[in-house]
Amino acid sequence: MRALAAFAMAGRRQAIIAAVLCGIIPLINMISPALVALVLLRHGPREALMVAAFAVLPLIGWASVGDMTPLILLVGVGVMAEVLRRTASWQYALLAAILVAVGAEAVLMMRPAVMDLLLQQVEAFMAAGGGSAELPEVTPETLREGVLTLFGLMHMLMAVFLLILARWWQALMYNPGGFQKEFHEFRLQPSVAMLLVGLFLLASLGGTVLTGWILYFVIPLAVAGVALVHGLVGIKRLSRLFLVAFYLLLLSPLAVQLLSVAALLDSFYDFRRRIQPPADDGSI
């Protein structure tokens, strides 16, 4: 992966070649938006637009046959990268990720054929794996809303991951250790954290356009919680096995909720500033 990023950073022609070739290959085409984001973070929007003008061509091809994800991510990750470049703040980039999720929903609603195909696949999956009476009856409208939310959430998470990848590439080549320091120190401002909590509560009440977006407001808090754990592990110099166990725990929705609460508290109390690193005993 580092070799790919280094090749793309060797010049505009190389960046175009890398982005286009990655965009042609199935699954690997998700890497193309990260390469464009890397160019944007390093050289700014003008150079990134020149690369994106070519990178978008194979992604339009994929969108024409029903795979809209790479094209959505090219736009979404580009917007997030520009926000991060201008503000040097991950919290604003994560807020922009909410717009990626909402935009993905809008794109899906404008493609009714793709929407119907997804609904058919979900219905077939439910019929095959859950034909028992234990499952509650799901109305078509509820199923539609659920598919829209999952579609938006998937694109939001992938956009965050690809921006992290682009930022890691940038630090790896031009600022070794910079991404780790940046991520370990990341925490939400109290006002932003409370805004997310307020939107979450408002969405939980139901009856508003925000109702289907509940999970979108949790993701920035969850990412801040992940940064908190990484920061504490770094300060206390704990084993990497601790992080492995932590990510396994994240498979539980309850763990994600607790992590989000920890991030909210951290926005006010800054736990990393209050934790001292282990003392050096001076042993050889």
Coordinates of all heavy atoms in Angstrom, one line a residue, residues 70-142:
P70 N -18.2 3.4 -5.5 CA -16.9 4.1 -5.7 C -17.1 5.5 -6.1 O -16.3 6.4 -5.7 CB -16.3 3.3 -6.8 CG -16.9 1.9 -6.7 CD -18.3 2.2 -6.3
L71 N -18.1 5.8 -6.9 CA -18.4 7.2 -7.3 C -18.8 8.0 -6.2 O -18.4 9.2 -6.0 CB -19.4 7.2 -8.5 CG -19.7 8.6 -9.1 CD1 -18.4 9.2 -9.7 CD2 -20.7 8.4 -10.2
I72 N -19.7 7.5 -5.3 CA -20.2 8.2 -4.1 C -19.0 8.5 -3.2 O -18.9 9.6 -2.7 CB -21.3 7.4 -3.4 CG1 -22.5 7.3 -4.2 CG2 -21.6 8.1 -2.0 CD1 -23.6 6.4 -3.6
L73 N -18.1 7.5 -3.1 CA -17.0 7.7 -2.2 C -16.0 8.7 -2.7 O -15.3 9.4 -2.0 CB -16.3 6.4 -1.9 CG -17.1 5.4 -1.1 CD1 -16.4 4.0 -1.0 CD2 -17.4 5.9 0.3
L74 N -15.8 8.7 -4.0 CA -14.9 9.7 -4.6 C -15.3 11.1 -4.3 O -14.5 12.0 -3.9 CB -14.9 9.6 -6.2 CG -14.0 10.5 -6.9 CD1 -12.5 10.3 -6.6 CD2 -14.2 10.4 -8.4
V75 N -16.6 11.4 -4.4 CA -17.1 12.7 -4.0 C -17.0 13.0 -2.5 O -16.6 14.0 -2.0 CB -18.5 12.9 -4.6 CG1 -19.1 14.3 -4.1 CG2 -18.6 12.8 -6.1
G76 N -17.5 12.0 -1.8 CA -17.6 12.1 -0.3 C -16.3 12.2 0.4 O -16.1 13.1 1.2
V77 N -15.4 11.4 0.0 CA -14.0 11.4 0.6 C -13.3 12.7 0.2 O -12.5 13.3 1.0 CB -13.2 10.2 0.3 CG1 -11.8 10.2 0.8 CG2 -13.9 8.9 0.8
G78 N -13.5 13.1 -1.0 CA -12.9 14.4 -1.5 C -13.4 15.5 -0.6 O -12.6 16.4 -0.3
V79 N -14.7 15.6 -0.4 CA -15.2 16.7 0.5 C -14.6 16.6 1.9 O -14.2 17.6 2.4 CB -16.7 16.6 0.5 CG1 -17.3 17.6 1.6 CG2 -17.3 16.9 -0.8
M80 N -14.6 15.4 2.4 CA -14.0 15.3 3.8 C -12.6 15.6 3.8 O -12.1 16.3 4.8 CB -14.2 13.8 4.3 CG -15.7 13.5 4.5 SD -15.9 11.7 4.8 CE -14.9 11.5 6.3
A81 N -11.8 15.3 2.8 CA -10.4 15.6 2.8 C -10.1 17.1 2.7 O -9.2 17.6 3.3 CB -9.7 14.9 1.6
E82 N -11.0 17.8 1.9 CA -10.9 19.2 1.8 C -11.2 19.9 3.2 O -10.5 20.8 3.6 CB -11.8 19.8 0.7 CG -11.8 21.3 0.6 CD -10.4 21.9 0.2 OE1 -9.5 21.1 -0.1 OE2 -10.3 23.1 0.2
V83 N -12.2 19.4 3.8 CA -12.5 19.9 5.2 C -11.4 19.7 6.1 O -11.0 20.6 6.9 CB -13.8 19.2 5.7 CG1 -14.0 19.6 7.2 CG2 -15.0 19.6 4.9
L84 N -10.8 18.5 6.1 CA -9.7 18.2 7.0 C -8.4 19.1 6.6 O -7.7 19.5 7.5 CB -9.3 16.7 6.9 CG -8.1 16.2 7.7 CD1 -8.4 16.5 9.2 CD2 -7.8 14.7 7.5
R85 N -8.2 19.3 5.3 CA -7.1 20.1 4.9 C -7.2 21.5 5.4 O -6.3 22.2 5.8 CB -6.9 20.0 3.4 CG -5.7 20.7 2.8 CD -5.7 20.7 1.3 NE -6.6 21.7 0.8 CZ -6.3 23.0 0.6 NH1 -5.1 23.4 0.9 NH2 -7.2 23.8 0.2
R86 N -8.4 22.1 5.2 CA -8.7 23.5 5.6 C -8.7 23.7 7.1 O -8.3 24.8 7.6 CB -10.0 24.0 4.9 CG -9.9 24.2 3.4 CD -11.2 24.7 2.9 NE -11.0 25.1 1.5 CZ -10.6 26.2 1.0 NH1 -10.3 27.2 1.8 NH2 -10.5 26.4 -0.3
T87 N -9.3 22.8 7.8 CA -9.5 23.0 9.3 C -8.5 22.3 10.1 O -8.3 22.6 11.3 CB -10.9 22.5 9.7 OG1 -11.0 21.1 9.5 CG2 -12.0 23.2 8.9
A88 N -7.8 21.3 9.6 CA -6.8 20.4 10.3 C -7.5 19.9 11.6 O -7.0 19.7 12.6 CB -5.6 21.2 10.8
S89 N -8.8 19.6 11.4 CA -9.7 19.1 12.5 C -10.4 17.9 12.1 O -11.3 17.9 11.1 CB -10.6 20.2 13.0 OG -11.5 19.6 13.9
W90 N -10.2 16.7 12.8 CA -11.0 15.5 12.5 C -12.4 15.6 12.8 O -13.3 15.0 12.2 CB -10.3 14.3 13.2 CG -9.2 13.7 12.4 CD1 -7.9 14.0 12.5 CD2 -9.3 12.8 11.3 NE1 -7.1 13.3 11.6 CE2 -8.0 12.6 10.8 CE3 -10.4 12.2 10.7 CZ2 -7.7 11.7 9.8 CZ3 -10.1 11.3 9.6 CH2 -8.8 11.1 9.2
Q91 N -12.8 16.5 13.8 CA -14.2 16.5 14.2 C -15.0 17.1 13.1 O -16.1 16.7 12.8 CB -14.3 17.3 15.5 CG -14.1 18.8 15.4 CD -14.4 19.5 16.7 OE1 -14.9 18.9 17.7 NE2 -14.1 20.8 16.8
Y92 N -14.5 18.1 12.4 CA -15.3 18.7 11.2 C -15.3 17.7 10.0 O -16.3 17.7 9.3 CB -14.7 20.0 10.8 CG -14.8 21.1 11.9 CD1 -13.7 21.7 12.5 CD2 -16.1 21.4 12.4 CE1 -13.8 22.6 13.5 CE2 -16.2 22.3 13.4 CZ -15.1 22.9 14.0 OH -15.2 23.8 15.0
A93 N -14.2 17.0 9.9 CA -14.2 16.0 8.8 C -15.3 14.9 9.1 O -15.9 14.4 8.2 CB -12.8 15.3 8.7
L94 N -15.4 14.5 10.4 CA -16.4 13.5 10.7 C -17.8 14.0 10.6 O -18.7 13.3 10.3 CB -16.1 13.0 12.2 CG -14.9 12.2 12.3 CD1 -14.6 11.9 13.8 CD2 -15.0 10.9 11.5
L95 N -18.0 15.3 10.9 CA -19.3 15.9 10.7 C -19.6 15.9 9.2 O -20.8 15.7 8.8 CB -19.3 17.3 11.2 CG -19.3 17.5 12.7 CD1 -19.3 19.0 13.1 CD2 -20.5 16.8 13.4
A96 N -18.6 16.1 8.4 CA -18.8 16.1 6.9 C -19.2 14.6 6.5 O -19.9 14.4 5.5 CB -17.6 16.5 6.2
A97 N -18.7 13.6 7.2 CA -19.1 12.2 6.9 C -20.6 12.0 7.0 O -21.1 11.1 6.4 CB -18.3 11.3 7.8
I98 N -21.2 12.7 7.9 CA -22.7 12.6 8.0 C -23.3 13.0 6.7 O -24.3 12.4 6.2 CB -23.2 13.5 9.2 CG1 -22.7 13.0 10.5 CG2 -24.8 13.5 9.2 CD1 -23.0 13.9 11.7
L99 N -22.8 14.0 6.1 CA -23.3 14.5 4.8 C -23.1 13.4 3.7 O -23.9 13.3 2.8 CB -22.7 15.8 4.3 CG -22.9 17.0 5.3 CD1 -22.2 18.2 4.7 CD2 -24.4 17.3 5.5
V100 N -22.0 12.6 3.8 CA -21.8 11.5 2.9 C -22.9 10.5 3.0 O -23.4 10.0 2.0 CB -20.4 10.9 3.2 CG1 -20.2 9.7 2.3 CG2 -19.3 11.9 2.9
A101 N -23.2 10.2 4.2 CA -24.3 9.2 4.5 C -25.6 9.7 3.9 O -26.3 8.9 3.2 CB -24.4 8.9 6.0
V102 N -26.0 10.9 4.2 CA -27.2 11.5 3.7 C -27.2 11.6 2.1 O -28.2 11.3 1.5 CB -27.4 12.9 4.3 CG1 -28.7 13.5 3.7 CG2 -27.6 12.8 5.8
G103 N -26.0 11.9 1.6 CA -25.9 12.0 0.1 C -26.1 10.6 -0.5 O -26.7 10.5 -1.6
A104 N -25.5 9.6 0.1 CA -25.6 8.2 -0.4 C -27.1 7.8 -0.4 O -27.6 7.1 -1.3 CB -24.8 7.3 0.5
E105 N -27.8 8.1 0.7 CA -29.3 7.9 0.7 C -30.0 8.5 -0.5 O -30.8 7.9 -1.1 CB -29.9 8.4 2.0 CG -29.7 7.5 3.2 CD -30.6 7.9 4.4 OE1 -31.6 8.6 4.1 OE2 -30.3 7.4 5.5
A106 N -29.6 9.8 -0.7 CA -30.3 10.5 -1.8 C -30.0 9.9 -3.2 O -30.9 9.8 -4.0 CB -29.8 12.0 -1.8
V107 N -28.8 9.5 -3.4 CA -28.4 8.8 -4.6 C -29.2 7.5 -4.8 O -29.7 7.2 -5.9 CB -26.9 8.5 -4.7 CG1 -26.5 7.6 -5.9 CG2 -26.1 9.8 -4.7
L108 N -29.3 6.8 -3.7 CA -30.1 5.5 -3.8 C -31.5 5.7 -4.1 O -32.1 5.0 -4.9 CB -29.9 4.7 -2.5 CG -30.6 3.3 -2.5 CD1 -30.0 2.4 -3.6 CD2 -30.4 2.7 -1.1
M109 N -32.1 6.8 -3.6 CA -33.5 7.1 -3.8 C -33.7 7.5 -5.3 O -34.8 7.4 -5.8 CB -34.0 8.2 -2.9 CG -34.2 7.7 -1.4 SD -35.1 8.8 -0.3 CE -33.8 10.1 -0.1
M110 N -32.7 8.1 -5.9 CA -32.8 8.5 -7.3 C -32.6 7.4 -8.3 O -32.7 7.5 -9.5 CB -31.8 9.6 -7.6 CG -32.1 11.0 -6.9 SD -31.0 12.3 -7.4 CE -29.5 11.8 -6.7
R111 N -32.2 6.2 -7.7 CA -32.0 5.0 -8.5 C -33.0 3.9 -8.1 O -32.6 3.0 -7.4 CB -30.5 4.5 -8.4 CG -29.5 5.5 -8.9 CD -29.5 5.6 -10.5 NE -29.2 4.4 -11.1 CZ -28.0 4.0 -11.4 NH1 -26.9 4.8 -11.1 NH2 -27.8 2.8 -12.0
P112 N -34.3 4.0 -8.4 CA -35.3 3.1 -7.9 C -35.0 1.7 -8.3 O -35.3 0.7 -7.6 CB -36.6 3.6 -8.5 CG -36.2 4.5 -9.6 CD -34.8 5.1 -9.3
A113 N -34.4 1.4 -9.5 CA -34.1 0.1 -9.9 C -33.1 -0.6 -8.9 O -33.3 -1.8 -8.6 CB -33.6 0.1 -11.3
V114 N -32.1 0.2 -8.5 CA -31.1 -0.4 -7.6 C -31.7 -0.6 -6.2 O -31.5 -1.6 -5.6 CB -29.9 0.6 -7.5 CG1 -28.9 0.1 -6.5 CG2 -29.2 0.8 -8.9
M115 N -32.6 0.4 -5.8 CA -33.3 0.2 -4.6 C -34.1 -1.0 -4.5 O -34.1 -1.8 -3.5 CB -34.1 1.5 -4.3 CG -34.9 1.5 -3.0 SD -33.7 1.7 -1.6 CE -34.9 1.7 -0.3
D116 N -34.9 -1.2 -5.6 CA -35.7 -2.4 -5.7 C -34.9 -3.7 -5.6 O -35.3 -4.7 -5.0 CB -36.6 -2.4 -6.9 CG -37.6 -1.3 -6.9 OD1 -37.9 -0.8 -5.8 OD2 -38.1 -1.0 -8.0
L117 N -33.7 -3.7 -6.3 CA -32.9 -4.9 -6.2 C -32.4 -5.2 -4.8 O -32.4 -6.3 -4.4 CB -31.7 -4.7 -7.2 CG -30.7 -5.8 -7.3 CD1 -31.3 -7.1 -7.7 CD2 -29.5 -5.4 -8.2
L118 N -32.0 -4.1 -4.1 CA -31.5 -4.3 -2.7 C -32.6 -4.8 -1.8 O -32.4 -5.7 -1.0 CB -31.0 -2.9 -2.2 CG -29.6 -2.4 -2.8 CD1 -29.3 -1.1 -2.2 CD2 -28.5 -3.4 -2.5
L119 N -33.8 -4.3 -2.0 CA -35.0 -4.7 -1.2 C -35.2 -6.2 -1.5 O -35.5 -7.0 -0.5 CB -36.2 -3.9 -1.6 CG -36.2 -2.4 -1.0 CD1 -37.4 -1.7 -1.6 CD2 -36.3 -2.4 0.5
Q120 N -35.2 -6.6 -2.7 CA -35.4 -8.0 -3.1 C -34.3 -8.9 -2.4 O -34.6 -10.0 -1.9 CB -35.4 -8.2 -4.6 CG -36.5 -7.6 -5.3 CD -36.4 -7.6 -6.8 OE1 -35.5 -8.3 -7.4 NE2 -37.2 -6.9 -7.5
Q121 N -33.1 -8.4 -2.4 CA -32.0 -9.2 -1.8 C -32.2 -9.3 -0.3 O -32.0 -10.4 0.3 CB -30.6 -8.6 -2.1 CG -30.3 -8.7 -3.6 CD -29.0 -7.9 -3.9 OE1 -28.5 -7.1 -3.2 NE2 -28.4 -8.3 -5.1
V122 N -32.6 -8.2 0.3 CA -32.8 -8.3 1.8 C -34.0 -9.2 2.1 O -34.0 -10.0 3.1 CB -33.1 -6.8 2.3 CG1 -33.5 -6.9 3.8 CG2 -31.8 -6.0 2.2
E123 N -35.1 -9.1 1.3 CA -36.2 -9.9 1.6 C -35.9 -11.4 1.4 O -36.4 -12.3 2.2 CB -37.4 -9.5 0.6 CG -38.0 -8.2 1.0 CD -39.0 -7.7 -0.1 OE1 -39.0 -8.3 -1.2 OE2 -39.7 -6.7 0.2
A124 N -35.1 -11.7 0.4 CA -34.7 -13.1 0.1 C -33.8 -13.6 1.3 O -34.0 -14.7 1.7 CB -33.9 -13.2 -1.2
F125 N -32.9 -12.7 1.8 CA -32.1 -13.1 2.9 C -32.9 -13.4 4.2 O -32.7 -14.4 4.9 CB -31.1 -12.0 3.2 CG -30.2 -12.2 4.4 CD1 -29.1 -13.1 4.4 CD2 -30.5 -11.6 5.6 CE1 -28.4 -13.3 5.5 CE2 -29.8 -11.8 6.7 CZ -28.7 -12.6 6.7
M126 N -33.9 -12.5 4.4 CA -34.7 -12.7 5.6 C -35.6 -14.0 5.5 O -35.8 -14.7 6.4 CB -35.6 -11.5 5.8 CG -34.9 -10.2 6.1 SD -36.0 -8.7 6.2 CE -37.0 -9.2 7.6
A127 N -36.0 -14.2 4.3 CA -36.9 -15.4 4.1 C -36.0 -16.7 4.2 O -36.5 -17.7 4.8 CB -37.5 -15.4 2.7
A128 N -34.8 -16.6 3.8 CA -33.9 -17.8 3.8 C -33.4 -18.1 5.2 O -33.3 -19.2 5.7 CB -32.8 -17.7 2.9
G129 N -33.1 -17.0 6.0 CA -32.5 -17.2 7.3 C -33.4 -17.0 8.4 O -33.0 -17.3 9.6
G130 N -34.5 -16.4 8.2 CA -35.4 -16.1 9.3 C -36.8 -16.3 9.0 O -37.7 -15.5 9.3
G131 N -37.2 -17.5 8.5 CA -38.5 -17.8 8.2 C -39.3 -18.2 9.5 O -40.5 -18.6 9.3
S132 N -38.8 -18.2 10.6 CA -39.4 -18.6 11.8 C -40.4 -17.5 12.3 O -40.3 -16.4 12.0 CB -38.4 -18.9 12.9 OG -37.7 -17.8 13.3
A133 N -41.3 -17.9 13.2 CA -42.3 -17.0 13.8 C -41.6 -16.1 14.8 O -42.3 -15.2 15.3 CB -43.4 -17.8 14.4
E134 N -40.4 -16.3 15.1 CA -39.7 -15.5 16.1 C -39.5 -14.0 15.6 O -39.4 -13.1 16.4 CB -38.4 -16.1 16.6 CG -38.6 -17.4 17.2 CD -37.2 -18.1 17.6 OE1 -36.2 -17.4 17.3 OE2 -37.2 -19.2 18.0
L135 N -39.3 -13.9 14.3 CA -39.0 -12.6 13.7 C -40.3 -11.8 13.6 O -41.3 -12.2 13.2 CB -38.4 -12.7 12.3 CG -37.0 -13.3 12.3 CD1 -36.6 -13.5 10.9 CD2 -36.0 -12.4 13.0
P136 N -40.2 -10.5 14.1 CA -41.4 -9.6 14.0 C -41.7 -9.3 12.5 O -40.9 -9.3 11.6 CB -41.0 -8.4 14.7 CG -39.5 -8.4 14.6 CD -39.1 -9.8 14.6
E137 N -43.0 -9.0 12.3 CA -43.4 -8.7 10.9 C -42.8 -7.3 10.5 O -42.9 -6.3 11.3 CB -44.9 -8.6 10.8 CG -45.5 -8.5 9.4 CD -45.3 -9.7 8.6 OE1 -45.1 -10.8 9.1 OE2 -45.2 -9.5 7.3
V138 N -42.2 -7.2 9.4 CA -41.6 -6.0 8.9 C -42.4 -5.4 7.7 O -42.6 -6.1 6.7 CB -40.1 -6.2 8.5 CG1 -39.5 -4.9 8.0 CG2 -39.3 -6.8 9.6
T139 N -42.9 -4.2 7.9 CA -43.6 -3.6 6.8 C -42.7 -3.2 5.7 O -41.5 -2.9 5.9 CB -44.4 -2.4 7.4 OG1 -43.4 -1.4 7.8 CG2 -45.3 -2.7 8.6
P140 N -43.2 -3.0 4.5 CA -42.4 -2.6 3.4 C -41.8 -1.2 3.6 O -40.6 -1.0 3.2 CB -43.4 -2.5 2.2 CG -44.5 -3.5 2.6 CD -44.6 -3.5 4.0
E141 N -42.5 -0.3 4.3 CA -41.9 1.0 4.5 C -40.8 0.9 5.5 O -39.7 1.6 5.3 CB -43.0 1.9 5.1 CG -42.6 3.4 5.3 CD -42.1 4.0 4.0 OE1 -42.6 3.7 2.9 OE2 -41.2 4.9 4.0
T142 N -40.9 0.1 6.6 CA -39.9 -0.1 7.5 C -38.6 -0.7 6.9 O -37.5 -0.3 7.2 CB -40.3 -0.9 8.7 OG1 -41.5 -0.3 9.3 CG2 -39.2 -1.1 9.7

